[in-house]
Amino acid sequence: MNQFLQSFLGRRDRNGNIYFVEERSKCVLLQLCWSEQWREASNRLRTHPREAWCVNRFTYRTALHLVCFPSSKAPEFFIDELIRINPGAVSYIDKWKQTPLHIACCSSYLLSKSHVIQRLLNTILDTKPSLELKDAFASPSILFAAAKTIAPQPT
């Protein structure tokens, strides 16, 4: 497939889901998450749920990646809504081979709300139980391994 057609159609993840690769300035939801405008982002997600599949074309990060950053103070209901609309984003790997779970495990804000990390982890285990998450150095993430051992096993 030629590069123009690929960029028009989007980028497929390992499950075949199409993510729409955009510059942050072209995806309003990514813009709102980046600038931490949570009320507006929540409204935008409600009216434009397709934008939960937008990916920044330079970093390959979704809105879920952005809300999991240490500096983010995203409300839990918004994180839950992103996961509900696009559960595949939980295991979407960015340019640095990190999922939102990797990023969330580095966030003291989200660590204080461990049920958000538990929700991310359970969603990964529900959607991709055989996924082995690696950190940027291709070794198993210590935080992911620790989280996986305390998570309830999927039934």
Side-chain angles (χ1 to χ4, degrees):
M1 178 181 315
N2 74 32
Q3 191 171 10
F4 171 76
L5 190 55
Q6 175 82 23
S7 67
F8 177 75
L9 291 176
R11 180 175 184 235
R12 290 187 182 270
D13 69 3
R14 293 180 206 160
N15 293 330
N17 298 317
I18 295 178
Y19 285 78
F20 301 94
V21 180
E22 303 276 1
E23 291 182 33
R24 188 176 68 230
S25 62
K26 292 184 181 177
C27 179
V28 176
L29 182 63
L30 288 177
Q31 247 182 332
L32 292 170
C33 289
W34 184 258
S35 60
E36 298 189 354
Q37 297 176 35
W38 304 122
R39 180 177 294 139
E40 295 85 352
S42 180
N43 291 337
R44 182 69 181 190
L45 184 60
R46 198 171 14 266
T47 59
H48 296 80
R50 175 189 176 272
E51 290 189 12
W53 278 267
C54 283
V55 175
N56 180 284
R57 74 179 222 179
F58 301 109
T59 63
Y60 295 123
R61 287 188 170 142
T62 65
L64 190 58
H65 283 89
L66 298 179
V67 301
C68 289
F69 269 97
S71 61
S72 169
K73 300 287 190 256
E76 294 170 39
F77 76 86
F78 183 68
I79 297 171
D80 286 343
E81 192 66 8
L82 280 171
I83 294 169
R84 186 189 67 73
I85 290 173
N86 183 7
V90 172
S91 56
Y92 196 82
I93 297 170
D94 70 8
K95 181 178 179 178
W96 295 273
K97 299 185 179 11
Q98 293 184 323
T99 66
L101 180 62
H102 284 98
I103 295 167
C105 286
C106 295
S107 170
S108 59
Y109 174 71
L110 288 180
L111 284 175
S112 69
K113 300 180 181 317
S114 60
H115 61 279
V116 173
I117 291 181
Q118 191 71 39
R119 173 85 193 268
L120 290 166
L121 184 60
N122 287 339
T123 303
I124 285 178
L125 293 174
D126 288 345
T127 58
K128 298 181 103 175
S130 62
L131 181 68
E132 265 308 312
L133 290 177
K134 309 282 186 182
D135 64 16
F137 303 103
S139 58
S141 165
I142 293 170
L143 291 169
F144 176 73
K148 191 172 179 179
T149 60
I150 62 167
Q153 294 302 311
T155 55

